[in-house]
Amino acid sequence: MTTTQYIDANRDRFLDELFTLLRIPSVSTTTEHDDDTHQCAVHVQEYLVRAGLDKAALYPTDGHPIVYAEKIIDEKLPTILVYGHYDVQPADPLDEWNSDPFEPVIKKTDLHPDGAIFGRGTTDDKGQMFLHVKAVEAMIQTDNLPCNVKFMIEGEEEIGSAHLEPFIRKHKEMLKSDVILVSDTSLLSKKVPSITVGLRGLAYMDVSVQTARADMHSGLFGGAVANPINTLAKMIASLKDDDNKITIPGFYDDVHFPSDRDRKMMRNAPFDEQEYMDSPGVYGLEGREGFHTYERTGILPTLDCNGIWGGFMGEGSKTIIPAKASAKISMRLVSTQDWHKIADQFTEHFKSLAPEYAKVTVTAHHGGNPYVTPTDTVEYRAAAAAMKDSFGVEPVPMYEGGSIPIIAKFKEILEVETILMGFGFDTDGLHSPNEHFGLWNFYKGIETVPGFYKHYVAMKQA
Amino acid sequence: MTTTQYIDANRDRFLDELFTLLRIPSVSTTTEHDDDTHQCAVHVQEYLVRAGLDKAALYPTDGHPIVYAEKIIDEKLPTILVYGHYDVQPADPLDEWNSDPFEPVIKKTDLHPDGAIFGRGTTDDKGQMFLHVKAVEAMIQTDNLPCNVKFMIEGEEEIGSAHLEPFIRKHKEMLKSDVILVSDTSLLSKKVPSITVGLRGLAYMDVSVQTARADMHSGLFGGAVANPINTLAKMIASLKDDDNKITIPGFYDDVHFPSDRDRKMMRNAPFDEQEYMDSPGVYGLEGREGFHTYERTGILPTLDCNGIWGGFMGEGSKTIIPAKASAKISMRLVSTQDWHKIADQFTEHFKSLAPEYAKVTVTAHHGGNPYVTPTDTVEYRAAAAAMKDSFGVEPVPMYEGGSIPIIAKFKEILEVETILMGFGFDTDGLHSPNEHFGLWNFYKGIETVPGFYKHYVAMKQA
């Protein structure tokens, strides 16, 4: 029996099993769901055992457990480490769901004419994580597994993966592998496959500017003192030039753009600006001169105010010059930018923008480094070949605007590159009401994964 | 008996009578004090009767009553209209008072070695209003009143004088006069008398900038959309140039500076920058290039943010690009600037600063025109001569940074100039705990006022 035959013969069971996982409200952020989240980990463990993996175990942490399992067929063969997560975002606002978020139902949509499973966690990440379990099961059960495989499925991805870093530091030897394979990102479309090769990093800063001990009467002091709001506005405004280039000295030192070939593929990939704008109702697009929208969110770093406050914010009027104004400013990072270095550069530069006598505070709130999958490697070429076999066309290297900080940590601690081979769509409602995952996407994933194993082992041994 | 002899002979009674007024908590903003406020008006009426004025009456309004009285000695002689207010600011925070705010006590201070009366309303404005009642009483009772006099004492100055404008519109004929005399401002010092010749106007605007229907994920949209906070910051920053000059086209069209002689007197007047900075704990002074602090708050218009808000303002971090950011921006106006015209200029210019697709709202919240007392008039010269007689030196024309919008309304509706002849000090704790008014200042006021009447009539008849 071939792997494909096995998959075909077990399609309905695979779906039933996924439904079982989806019915468990493993919302990691809420303590009231702690038992559910644990129960979900136990189910993942059981499915890994049933798939044919060994040493399946729950590794307790100070938070939710990490599920680990492995199948070592030959120490000399390459090892693939699959990473995913069994926890989900909270389902609220509940009244915006058209069906129970934890009772999956299949409904057809324009993008999913074959039907999509609606429910919290369908695409992020239970459905995408589970397709790896099923693909590996198919390979093991048909004796077609061409290399070693390890699974590391955590339960805290939606709340920052706080306990995963110490886990991988502690279990470096157990997690030893040649490549990490993750399905927790998106596919451009059914006809245009893609592999995510870039995730942005983040440096999130709290700032404040104070120019007096107490609020001042705007009549008595207006015109003769620095207003901290006007001052902060001027400082923020100066952080970008007229071309929307960030002006912090050294900020772009570690920004390296992808190859011309990759950029050309990106530019030629289908991108519907109107659709992109429609989801949050954006009134207009704007960004650094000389780059198109997709490049602005993918290969360029950003600087954005996430919040600002100061002075009188109530109804009506109060004629004060406030003593202090504050803001939250975050930067998305790319390429080899290091968030600690960027935080330092920001801090030094931002402080230099204020009048000497002003009290400026800058605090780095949290951050993470960007991650870029090199595309000139066996790992990437194997993934691209698997996608091409499955979709008929070569995948586009995609740079995502968001961040998954743990991926950079994998590289730093485990010293292994990650292949981000997602099978959902951006429009599948991740983190939103009515999240769904196409049946076509689920099965396409199960079918594509064995191709990666095959090409990867062949290329490594070539 | 001369006016001076009468004043000397009645010093203690004058003080006792003022204490009676000060004991009444005529806090206009609190309905629980409505009876007190009314009672205070009745007392003012009685004192005007006892002083020898005619037609003393309470004019009811939808708020607190206006007290009116007059003494017409000869229709052909000039008429002076005295304006003041019997209402006071709330006394809180009560625990910062060293004595009962409504039980006046006399205590010595460094600036008031002869003693000062401590209590709410001592300087603002009961003490300063009452010195006019006593000065006029002294002139009437000694047969030395050289002209006609009218009193208009309101009970809503501390809450915006909402019912005074309709009152003066309705009673234009009754209020007919040649000059309005007000003591509700400050004196530079005992040795350097001053007359307030400028009050700034105000235009207070609510603004908002919206660039999307809903908040956006800063990973997916950061770099490709206009952030409304960054946009608003840039717009605010551009409202002033590097010399702190306001950039709104036409903004300075109606700004005319005082004469070189007046500006020289202002520059030579004593001004303690450190003391000025100390009261609200200002860290540094900053304003339009080429002007000193006193000019920046007196003869220059301003533009200040009074409040700003938008996006995530809580603890921690939220990686959103907000849909909207808002601010309160107010401008203090000088000279012949008109607040409606400035509000229009601001609105047009501010909207032009945003990207075309952004939704910008600008609402004029409230405002008032500036008022400038011309110094080349009989009225001003008479006031200056009275001050010189009383203090031994010529008074400095002072421009105040704050606003008393009703004074501009007097000019507009009654078509009469106002002389702002204050006798308190800026450091007397107006609107603050431990408000006080020097005994020296109280009696100096009573003695100076008859000099104004004398000089004014003489100059008018010359």
Side-chain angles (χ1 to χ4, degrees):
Chain A
M1 200 185 225
T2 65
T3 306
T4 310
Q5 285 167 336
Y6 183 89
I7 293 168
D8 280 345
N10 290 279
R11 286 172 75 91
D12 293 343
R13 178 174 59 84
F14 289 175
L15 198 59
D16 282 347
E17 290 172 357
L18 174 57
F19 273 38
T20 302
L21 285 185
L22 293 170
R23 287 194 184 100
I24 307 169
S26 50
V27 180
S28 48
T29 196
T30 328
T31 50
E32 63 170 295
H33 285 300
D34 277 359
D35 285 348
D36 297 317
T37 308
H38 190 90
Q39 211 43 51
C40 195
V42 171
H43 273 77
V44 171
Q45 181 196 14
E46 282 172 11
Y47 284 130
L48 287 166
V49 172
R50 281 198 241 165
L53 286 114
D54 304 322
K55 296 190 185 174
L58 296 199
Y59 284 75
T61 71
D62 284 343
H64 302 297
I66 293 158
V67 188
Y68 176 81
E70 62 178 41
K71 184 79 186 177
I72 308 297
I73 57 168
D74 183 344
E75 292 283 354
K76 278 171 270 152
L77 284 170
T79 301
I80 294 169
L81 173 62
V82 177
Y83 163 74
H85 63 95
Y86 63 84
D87 66 321
V88 298
Q89 281 276 319
D92 39 323
L94 283 171
D95 56 358
E96 290 184 28
W97 282 82
N98 298 324
S99 58
D100 184 335
F102 297 107
E103 185 48 59
V105 291
I106 292 170
K107 283 186 289 190
K108 288 177 182 176
T109 73
D110 288 348
L111 261 179
H112 298 290
D114 301 329
I117 317 157
F118 281 78
R120 173 54 84 226
T122 44
T123 180
D124 181 16
D125 181 48
K126 284 175 178 170
Q128 296 217 70
M129 171 270 286
F130 197 63
L131 68 84
H132 285 274
V133 181
K134 295 297 104 178
V136 169
E137 175 187 318
M139 289 185 279
I140 292 176
Q141 299 303 331
T142 59
D143 263 337
N144 283 313
L145 185 67
C147 61
N148 306 313
V149 60
K150 296 174 175 177
F151 276 80
M152 171 173 71
I153 312 298
E154 71 155 320
E156 300 186 309
E157 198 272 348
E158 299 295 0
I159 51 172
S161 302
H163 299 104
L164 192 60
E165 182 180 338
F167 177 82
I168 62 174
R169 281 193 194 280
K170 191 174 169 190
H171 298 284
K172 265 182 79 164
E173 189 52 38
M174 178 175 87
L175 298 170
K176 205 168 179 318
S177 53
D178 298 277
V179 63
I180 297 170
L181 188 58
V182 180
S183 293
D184 196 16
T185 51
S186 295
L187 207 55
L188 270 176
S189 76
K190 285 184 184 176
K191 286 182 181 163
V192 189
S194 55
I195 295 172
T196 299
V197 294
L199 293 167
R200 293 200 284 196
L202 182 70
Y204 200 106
M205 319 294 288
D206 273 313
V207 306
S208 76
V209 177
Q210 187 165 2
T211 59
R213 197 186 58 238
D215 290 354
M216 294 159 278
H217 186 290
S218 77
L220 302 179
F221 290 90
V225 297
N227 180 315
I229 300 178
N230 292 65
T231 304
L232 178 60
K234 206 170 160 183
M235 292 163 75
I236 290 170
S238 84
L239 292 173
K240 293 190 200 179
D241 68 15
D242 288 342
D243 291 336
N244 275 309
K245 197 174 172 188
I246 294 152
T247 56
I248 299 166
F251 187 82
Y252 290 96
D253 283 358
D254 296 318
V255 176
H256 313 287
F257 293 133
S259 68
D260 288 346
R261 181 180 175 276
D262 285 359
R263 283 185 73 179
K264 200 176 162 191
M265 283 185 82
M266 281 162 50
R267 269 197 300 278
N268 290 337
F271 178 72
D272 189 328
E273 277 201 348
Q274 198 53 52
E275 194 178 274
Y276 173 75
M277 287 170 74
D278 279 352
S279 74
V282 178
Y283 300 155
L285 295 175
E286 193 181 290
R288 186 163 156 200
E289 283 305 304
F291 293 82
H292 67 63
T293 296
Y294 179 58
E295 289 180 315
R296 286 168 175 170
T297 60
I299 63 172
L300 282 176
T302 67
L303 184 149
D304 272 299
C305 290
N306 308 101
I308 193 165
W309 66 98
F312 180 66
M313 294 178 265
E315 251 191 79
S317 63
K318 196 177 172 189
T319 48
I320 52 156
I321 294 179
K324 190 176 173 181
S326 307
K328 290 178 189 283
I329 302 176
S330 68
M331 291 155 284
R332 294 278 175 175
L333 310 176
V334 299
S335 197
T336 58
Q337 284 182 303
D338 177 84
W339 85 269
H340 291 287
K341 187 175 159 192
I342 291 290
D344 287 347
Q345 285 173 337
F346 176 91
T347 304
E348 191 186 337
H349 179 65
F350 194 74
K351 288 188 170 176
S352 78
L353 297 172
E356 242 179 41
Y357 53 78
K359 286 188 187 164
V360 180
T361 66
V362 182
T363 319
H365 196 82
H366 73 99
N369 284 336
Y371 178 72
V372 176
T373 306
T375 57
D376 56 354
T377 59
V378 166
E379 289 75 27
Y380 184 80
R381 284 204 304 275
M387 294 295 259
K388 195 177 175 188
D389 285 354
S390 189
F391 289 79
V393 282
E394 210 183 328
V396 177
M398 255 179 74
Y399 287 77
E400 290 217 351
S403 306
I404 313 179
I406 199 67
I407 304 292
K409 287 284 170 193
F410 290 165
K411 169 79 181 171
E412 180 195 327
I413 298 162
L414 301 177
E415 295 167 63
V416 180
E417 301 290 355
T418 295
I419 294 293
L420 296 156
M421 197 191 240
F423 293 98
F425 293 145
D426 268 347
T427 49
D428 283 347
L430 296 80
H431 293 208
S432 300
N434 303 308
E435 178 182 351
H436 54 279
F437 188 39
L439 290 175
W440 182 92
N441 304 63
F442 177 57
Y443 293 117
K444 197 70 169 175
I446 299 175
E447 289 155 21
T448 306
V449 166
F452 174 73
Y453 284 64
K454 182 189 78 183
H455 284 291
Y456 181 57
V457 174
M459 288 179 186
K460 280 289 266 191
Q461 292 176 336
Chain B
M1 199 185 225
T2 65
T3 306
T4 310
Q5 284 167 337
Y6 182 90
I7 294 168
D8 280 346
N10 289 280
R11 289 172 73 91
D12 291 346
R13 179 174 58 84
F14 289 177
L15 199 60
D16 281 348
E17 290 172 357
L18 174 57
F19 272 40
T20 303
L21 286 184
L22 293 170
R23 286 195 184 100
I24 307 169
S26 51
V27 180
S28 50
T29 197
T30 328
T31 51
E32 63 170 295
H33 285 301
D34 277 358
D35 285 347
D36 298 316
T37 307
H38 190 89
Q39 212 43 51
C40 196
V42 171
H43 271 77
V44 171
Q45 181 195 13
E46 281 172 13
Y47 284 130
L48 287 166
V49 172
R50 280 198 241 166
L53 285 116
D54 303 324
K55 297 189 183 172
L58 296 198
Y59 283 76
T61 71
D62 284 343
H64 302 299
I66 293 158
V67 189
Y68 176 80
E70 62 178 38
K71 184 76 185 178
I72 308 297
I73 57 167
D74 183 345
E75 292 283 356
K76 279 171 266 144
L77 286 168
T79 301
I80 294 169
L81 173 62
V82 177
Y83 163 74
H85 63 95
Y86 63 83
D87 65 321
V88 299
Q89 281 277 319
D92 38 320
L94 284 170
D95 55 357
E96 289 183 28
W97 283 81
N98 299 323
S99 59
D100 185 336
F102 297 107
E103 186 45 60
V105 291
I106 293 170
K107 283 186 288 188
K108 291 178 181 175
T109 73
D110 287 348
L111 261 179
H112 298 290
D114 300 328
I117 318 158
F118 281 78
R120 172 54 84 227
T122 44
T123 182
D124 180 16
D125 179 45
K126 285 175 179 171
Q128 297 218 68
M129 172 268 285
F130 198 62
L131 66 85
H132 285 274
V133 182
K134 294 297 103 179
V136 168
E137 175 187 316
M139 289 186 277
I140 292 175
Q141 299 304 331
T142 58
D143 261 336
N144 284 313
L145 185 68
C147 62
N148 306 311
V149 60
K150 295 174 176 177
F151 275 81
M152 174 174 69
I153 312 297
E154 71 155 322
E156 300 187 309
E157 199 273 348
E158 299 295 0
I159 51 173
S161 302
H163 300 102
L164 193 59
E165 183 180 338
F167 177 81
I168 62 173
R169 281 193 194 280
K170 192 174 168 189
H171 298 285
K172 265 182 81 165
E173 189 53 37
M174 178 174 87
L175 299 170
K176 205 169 176 328
S177 53
D178 299 278
V179 63
I180 297 170
L181 189 58
V182 181
S183 294
D184 197 16
T185 52
S186 296
L187 208 54
L188 270 175
S189 75
K190 285 184 184 176
K191 288 183 180 161
V192 188
S194 55
I195 295 173
T196 299
V197 295
L199 293 167
R200 292 199 283 196
L202 182 71
Y204 200 108
M205 319 295 287
D206 274 312
V207 306
S208 75
V209 177
Q210 188 166 0
T211 58
R213 197 184 59 239
D215 290 353
M216 295 160 277
H217 186 290
S218 77
L220 301 179
F221 290 90
V225 297
N227 180 314
I229 300 178
N230 292 66
T231 304
L232 179 59
K234 205 171 162 183
M235 292 163 76
I236 290 170
S238 84
L239 293 173
K240 293 191 200 179
D241 68 14
D242 288 343
D243 291 336
N244 275 309
K245 198 175 171 188
I246 294 152
T247 56
I248 299 166
F251 187 81
Y252 290 96
D253 283 357
D254 296 318
V255 176
H256 313 288
F257 293 133
S259 68
D260 287 347
R261 182 179 173 275
D262 284 0
R263 282 184 74 178
K264 201 176 161 191
M265 284 185 80
M266 282 162 49
R267 268 197 301 277
N268 290 337
F271 179 73
D272 188 328
E273 277 201 346
Q274 197 54 52
E275 195 177 273
Y276 172 77
M277 288 169 73
D278 278 351
S279 75
V282 178
Y283 300 155
L285 295 175
E286 193 182 288
R288 188 163 155 203
E289 282 304 306
F291 293 81
H292 66 63
T293 296
Y294 178 58
E295 291 181 314
R296 286 168 176 172
T297 60
I299 63 172
L300 283 176
T302 66
L303 185 150
D304 271 299
C305 291
N306 308 101
I308 194 165
W309 66 98
F312 180 64
M313 296 178 264
E315 252 192 80
S317 62
K318 194 177 173 189
T319 47
I320 52 156
I321 294 179
K324 190 176 172 180
S326 307
K328 290 177 191 281
I329 302 177
S330 68
M331 291 155 285
R332 295 278 175 175
L333 310 175
V334 298
S335 197
T336 58
Q337 285 183 302
D338 177 85
W339 86 268
H340 291 287
K341 189 176 157 191
I342 291 292
D344 288 347
Q345 286 172 338
F346 176 90
T347 305
E348 191 186 335
H349 179 64
F350 195 74
K351 286 187 171 176
S352 79
L353 297 172
E356 244 179 41
Y357 53 79
K359 287 188 186 163
V360 180
T361 67
V362 181
T363 318
H365 195 82
H366 74 98
N369 284 336
Y371 178 72
V372 175
T373 306
T375 57
D376 56 354
T377 60
V378 166
E379 289 74 27
Y380 184 81
R381 284 204 304 276
M387 294 294 259
K388 195 178 174 189
D389 285 354
S390 189
F391 290 78
V393 284
E394 211 183 330
V396 177
M398 254 179 74
Y399 287 77
E400 289 216 350
S403 308
I404 314 181
I406 199 68
I407 305 291
K409 287 283 169 194
F410 290 165
K411 168 80 180 168
E412 180 193 328
I413 298 162
L414 301 176
E415 295 168 62
V416 180
E417 301 290 355
T418 295
I419 295 293
L420 296 156
M421 197 192 240
F423 293 98
F425 293 145
D426 268 347
T427 48
D428 282 347
L430 294 82
H431 295 207
S432 299
N434 303 309
E435 178 181 351
H436 54 281
F437 189 38
L439 290 175
W440 183 92
N441 303 63
F442 178 56
Y443 292 116
K444 198 70 169 176
I446 299 176
E447 290 155 19
T448 305
V449 167
F452 173 73
Y453 284 63
K454 184 189 74 181
H455 284 290
Y456 181 57
V457 175
M459 288 179 185
K460 280 290 264 192
Q461 293 175 333

